[in-house]
C-alpha cells in the first residue's frame, strides 16, 4: 500500500537533518537510518521525481539516484516504485 503522507512515518523524522546531508563514508551511516523505514519507497520516489540533488533519500545517495535517473530519464518513479512495491506484497 502506498502512503501519500509518508513523512510523519519516516524513520528519519527524529534525526537531525545534518545526519542525512553528509558526504563520503558518512553517507553509509545515513543510509542505515533508512534500512528499516516503512516508507522508504515513497521517500525515494519523491526524491527521484523531484530530482532532489542533496542528501540520502530512500536509502540512496545523490550519486545512486543520478544513476537511476540516467537509466530511465522520463520515468514517473512513483509509478515504477509503487508497482514494484505492490508486486512484492
Amino acid at each position: 500500500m502506498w502512503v501519500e503522507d509518508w513523512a510523519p512515518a519516516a524513520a528519519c523524522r527524529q534525526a537531525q537533518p545534518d545526519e542525512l546531508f553528509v558526504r563520503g563514508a558518512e553517507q553509509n551511516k545515513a543510509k542505515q537510518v533508512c534500512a528499516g523505514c516503512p516508507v522508504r519507497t515513497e521517500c525515494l520516489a519523491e526524491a527521484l521525481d523531484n530530482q532532489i540533488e542533496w542528501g540520502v533519500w530512500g536509502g540512496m545517495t545523490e550519486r545512486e539516484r543520478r544513476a537511476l535517473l540516467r537509466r530511465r530519464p522520463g520515468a514517473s518513479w512513483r509509478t515504477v516504485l509503487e508497482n514494484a512495491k505492490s508486486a512484492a506484497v
Side-chain angles (χ1 to χ4, degrees):
M1 182 174 104
W2 196 261
V3 180
E4 293 293 331
D5 187 19
W6 58 267
C12 64
R13 73 186 174 284
Q14 301 297 332
Q16 294 297 318
D18 291 347
E19 295 173 20
L20 302 172
F21 294 89
V22 293
R23 298 231 177 259
E26 290 295 308
Q27 289 180 327
N28 291 326
K29 199 172 177 184
K31 287 168 62 170
Q32 288 176 353
V33 173
C34 304
C37 183
V39 292
R40 180 179 177 176
T41 306
E42 289 85 344
C43 175
L44 179 58
E46 172 118 359
L48 291 167
D49 282 339
N50 293 301
Q51 297 184 12
I52 297 173
E53 295 183 22
W54 308 106
V56 172
W57 291 75
M60 295 186 87
T61 65
E62 303 95 13
R63 179 176 284 169
E64 292 166 334
R65 292 193 309 274
R66 278 194 302 271
L68 280 179
L69 290 169
R70 278 193 302 273
R71 283 186 221 141
R72 295 180 85 167
S76 162
W77 287 96
R78 177 185 169 158
T79 301
V80 170
L81 295 172
E82 189 172 8
N83 290 339
K85 190 173 184 179
S86 296
V89 174

